[in-house]
Amino acid sequence: MKSSKLYYSANLKDIKNSITPNGYFILKLTSGNAHKWHKLIQKCIDAFNKQVEWDDMWDFQDALTRFEQGHIMFVYAKIKKIKEDPIGYVWFDKDYLYNMFMTKGRVKGHTVKFVSAACHSLDMDINNIHLHCDDWNIAAQKMFRKVGFKIIEK
């Protein structure tokens, strides 16, 4: 089965700025602080690999390269379990959102809140955010629309 990409865009003003639910935390990892969070980054990789089989999955070395290139990673977790049990993550390369993942054990509605909050935590000069999603990933498409993204190209 060949997959097609759906391209989405959202103006930041169309994305509701969500409050992180009580008891949860969003950690912004950059080139300036990622060195303190190597174990957490690996736990994010492990959480994904436990639930998804994907040949193109990034690894720890890829993460380090991304940070060197200025990419940002947001990690979502319970406050008391931030170092042990990440619930999800999303990467940004400036205004491009990619490699978004949430574990199956997440609370309903938290994915939209997490992605919305991450978008609003980007640099102040970013007004529009772009992404692409595989056409078969209906759940992700619905979630991105709830966040405020609209299809720009099929």
Side-chain angles (χ1 to χ4, degrees):
M1 173 174 83
K2 186 166 167 46
S3 176
S4 293
K5 305 287 185 206
L6 299 175
Y7 295 87
Y8 287 81
S9 183
N11 189 296
L12 201 54
K13 68 178 175 33
D14 296 329
I15 299 174
K16 182 179 177 184
N17 195 354
S18 294
I19 296 172
T20 304
N22 194 24
Y24 292 83
F25 184 75
I26 298 175
L27 179 64
K28 183 178 183 178
L29 299 178
T30 67
S31 60
N33 68 354
H35 65 280
K36 298 177 184 178
W37 296 98
H38 284 187
K39 288 181 183 178
L40 178 64
I41 295 165
Q42 186 60 53
K43 287 187 180 286
C44 288
I45 295 166
D46 295 342
F48 179 92
N49 287 328
K50 284 180 189 171
Q51 292 185 18
V52 181
E53 188 173 320
W54 185 45
D55 292 338
D56 293 328
M57 175 55 181
W58 52 278
D59 62 20
F60 186 76
Q61 191 56 51
D62 294 328
L64 295 180
T65 300
R66 290 174 179 187
F67 289 124
E68 288 172 8
Q69 294 171 345
H71 298 210
I72 297 169
M73 179 186 191
F74 292 92
V75 179
Y76 187 68
K78 287 187 176 180
I79 290 173
K80 294 182 180 181
K81 294 189 171 193
I82 185 76
K83 292 184 179 180
E84 305 124 37
D85 203 13
I87 296 168
Y89 60 81
V90 63
W91 284 91
F92 286 89
D93 178 8
K94 298 177 184 65
D95 64 352
Y96 180 69
L97 181 157
Y98 69 103
N99 288 159
M100 195 247 126
F101 171 74
M102 292 289 276
T103 60
K104 292 178 182 175
R106 67 192 177 273
V107 174
K108 184 177 177 167
H110 280 216
T111 304
V112 170
K113 291 178 184 196
F114 168 55
V115 173
S116 298
C119 289
H120 280 281
S121 297
L122 294 170
D123 293 331
M124 298 300 254
D125 60 342
I126 292 176
N127 294 317
N128 292 295
I129 299 169
H130 311 280
L131 65 94
H132 73 265
C133 183
D134 290 314
D135 61 357
W136 56 262
N137 196 341
I138 304 301
Q141 293 171 44
K142 288 179 181 178
M143 181 275 301
F144 286 126
R145 285 194 301 269
K146 286 180 184 176
V147 170
F149 287 89
K150 294 181 178 24
I151 291 180
I152 57 171
E153 181 183 323
K154 288 189 179 184

